[in-house]
Amino acid sequence: MSLTRRTFLAGSGALALPFLLASCGFVQTAPAERRQGTLTFTTWGTDAELAGFRAAIAAFEAANEGATVELNAVPYEQMFTNIDAQLQAGNPPDIFRVPYYTFGAYAGRGQLLDLTPLLSADRQGQFTPQAWAAVQNGDGTFGLPHHTDTSAILVNLDLFRQAGIDASEIPTSADQAWTWDQLDALGERLRAGLPADRWPWAYNWQGNGVTRWLSLLFQSDGAFLESDQKTPAIDSDAARETVAFSSSFFTKNYVPANNTIASSSYAAESWFSQSVAMVWSGAFQIPDAEQTADFEWTATFAPRNVRAGSDFGGNALVATANTQQPELAAAFLEFVTDADPMRDFCRAASLLPTRADLLNDDLEFDVRPDLAPVFAGQASLVQPQDVAQVASPSMSAIIPVLKEQLDLAFTGAQDAATTVTNLQSGIGAATGG
Amino acid sequence: MADTLAIPAPRTQQTRRPRRPGARREALAAYGFVAPNYLLLLVFVLVPLGGAFLVSLQRTDGFGAGEFAGLDNYARLASEPLFWRALGNTLLFTALVTPLSMLLGLVAATLLNTALPARPLWRSLLILPMAVSGVATALIGVLMFDQNSGILNRLLSAVGLSPVTWQSDPVPAFATIVLATVWWRTGFNMLIYLAGLQGIGPDLYEAATLDGANRLQRFRHVTVPLLGPTTFFLVVLNVIFSFQVFDIVFVLTGGGPGGATSVLVTYAYETGFVTRDQGYAAAIGMVLFVFALVFAAAQYRASRTKDVVE
């Protein structure tokens, strides 16, 4: 066959087409040779979580010949000072694990890889809208939501009985969850029925867990940021009602006096020591509770006010902007958020999946499988607009404002109206909005 | 003014001391031995210090290049109530912990310098906290001071006393960090004082006894002055340690309740690593450095007994 100019151009075009399409983002799967190499992956985790990551890594390496992932497990307390220092020094890991409330601080400052051109076309549809909202920043997708967790209520049935409250009064479905008024009435009965050194409940808002106070704000249909994630929106009746309601836990002696934001004692410890009858808690406490609690216990839904509301806890997996192997990093992130690895991880670690196909009534935990529907049901009540606020790039600057002002409200040093006014100005200063 | 300056006389052969044979080689050897220390000091202290000062002049979250802000961060410090509260807490903490832990250390050292039954055991017990990290000390403190399930409140309840609100009231919360630190630091002070006491010869005490001095007078007029250099060393060290307190406060109280136990370093940590306002955090660090430096210099000038030797 003679080679004409036309056949030469057509042939060249056909050969070049895959490369052109790939560069435009139309071809989603990285070529095999780009899936070779070594990724570094830094995370913290419980034993069950680390075992889950190791299993996922082994399966990924088996499925991608020539690819290896080096897992660097560090204590949670050191995790982000280390990551920050490594990012500043220019030698971060390729992949790390990040809570949703910290995610924005990295994504909003150009430290994370925009995965948009690297992900499979159907990826977004696999996740719940809340989870997908939690890894967005601007127009980009800067991570994949690996798992979530939200606070329901763990109940000590022995203390309920002691206070004369029957287990049948405990809600078993989301639409029966206690209203704020019912919770207040329950607090009164528990207070009256329990000894002075036992309290109705403890709330898990210690330290950076202060973001869990926002669940109460969302239950009042309040917000702390406008949809631009910048303009403060907490100066509202909903916020004043929420501050007054949560402060009443202290004035009515429903919580131990040291259940403050800055307390060094976590709420769960009070529940384990049977100082409190109920505690707001994530499902991750279930294995510990099953092993440690020597009393009968169960779980129920968080309360509701104008609507249901809950915190969107958990973590995403992200790749750093300057990783030398973006395709391999994206492939690994996709692999660990595939259905089987995510299901195995969540079952063993008592965490909730972020894939819509896994987050249903069939979800099981290895420990106390009967409680999985409570936590899964609670997670389904989280609204995407609530998650988007918590994923604000300014969240790391907003958290200290919440801690300071709510601590003042809870210790009685500041009334609800002043607290909300200060929160509005403090959040405005933190976001520059 | 120039004409009032004394002009040094030109050195003559008579005024110059004769150089010892080998002195130059000895000096070189001395510089050789000292050089690694100076190099480490330069690389790990002075260079980071200079770097921190430069960061304190910027608005930066640590990612990318910062924006030069001049003295804005320092001006912000002056108008920030949280900073003044943290500074006040740091000074109060220093004023309480330094004399308390030194006094207890001196009493313990004096007792353990005498013929006491099981003396090595007592010494070991007192020195033991030195081997424990600050975080572990604070965790022990949490076990002691938890106001619902802590050991102290259970003991108080057992003897019919009301429990103390160690974690929810400002004054008891501040007391917890002082008590935990004093427990931690007394052993160290005792050890240094013990070394100082063992450097005082028994002949001085014999002479004082012959002069009719009683036990208290011997302590007041012999022991205390001769422990001057030790005390000077410990004051400087304890003050600097107290200015730098972090781990015990961070773990034991988290700066609460309501900022009642927030100190400069926890405030800087929160600002630098939680809020990621690293320029402002560096400015807090520089203030802390200047305080420690000024105090050490003032103490050096004021201490009349720092060079007293037997």
Side-chain angles (χ1 to χ4, degrees), chain A residues 95-338:
Chain A
I95 292 165
F96 67 96
R97 187 188 193 198
V98 60
Y100 299 114
Y101 65 79
T102 311
F103 164 84
Y106 295 108
R109 291 173 175 81
Q111 299 303 308
L112 302 183
L113 179 70
D114 185 357
L115 298 170
T116 312
L118 302 165
L119 296 176
S120 311
D122 59 343
R123 208 65 197 172
Q124 176 178 352
Q126 294 168 349
F127 295 100
T128 63
Q130 300 94 318
W132 193 251
V135 290
Q136 305 304 306
N137 192 269
D139 294 328
T141 300
F142 290 88
L144 287 184
H146 184 230
H147 62 87
T148 179
D149 192 34
T150 193
S151 294
I153 300 176
L154 302 183
V155 180
N156 179 330
L157 292 170
D158 291 354
L159 285 181
F160 261 50
R161 270 191 289 272
Q162 196 179 328
I165 298 169
D166 193 79
S168 63
E169 294 186 46
I170 298 169
T172 52
S173 66
D175 55 359
Q176 291 175 351
W178 290 310
T179 63
W180 279 14
D181 288 341
Q182 288 171 330
L183 183 73
D184 184 51
L186 179 73
E188 210 169 302
R189 288 168 67 196
L190 282 165
R191 181 64 283 160
L194 291 173
D197 62 349
R198 299 281 186 275
W199 289 266
W201 59 74
Y203 203 100
N204 55 349
W205 47 37
Q206 284 74 39
N208 285 347
V210 71
T211 51
R212 295 183 185 122
W213 175 84
L214 297 168
S215 303
L216 296 169
L217 180 68
F218 299 147
Q219 286 160 20
S220 282
D221 211 16
F224 65 102
L225 289 176
E226 301 287 1
S227 56
D228 62 0
Q229 296 184 350
K230 201 171 176 186
T231 310
I234 201 167
D235 191 359
S236 63
D237 288 340
R240 278 181 281 277
E241 184 193 15
T242 308
V243 173
F245 180 63
S246 45
S247 298
S248 77
F249 295 178
F250 292 87
T251 53
K252 293 182 176 177
N253 205 15
Y254 291 163
V255 293
N258 66 339
N259 186 217
T260 51
I261 305 287
S263 179
S264 51
S265 298
Y266 286 101
E269 291 163 15
S270 304
W271 188 74
F272 280 118
S273 66
Q274 301 207 59
S275 296
V276 298
M278 304 195 295
V279 66
W280 271 251
S281 169
F284 63 90
Q285 291 280 5
I286 290 177
D288 267 358
E290 184 61 5
Q291 209 167 22
T292 317
D294 52 358
F295 49 85
E296 199 185 343
W297 63 278
T298 188
T300 187
F301 295 84
R304 60 201 157 97
N305 191 21
V306 178
R307 65 170 168 95
S310 213
D311 58 308
F312 192 78
N315 304 287
L317 294 176
V318 296
T320 44
N322 294 326
T323 176
Q324 297 301 302
Q325 297 167 105
E327 290 88 358
L328 186 62
F332 178 69
L333 296 185
E334 287 205 317
F335 186 88
V336 288
T337 52
D338 278 344

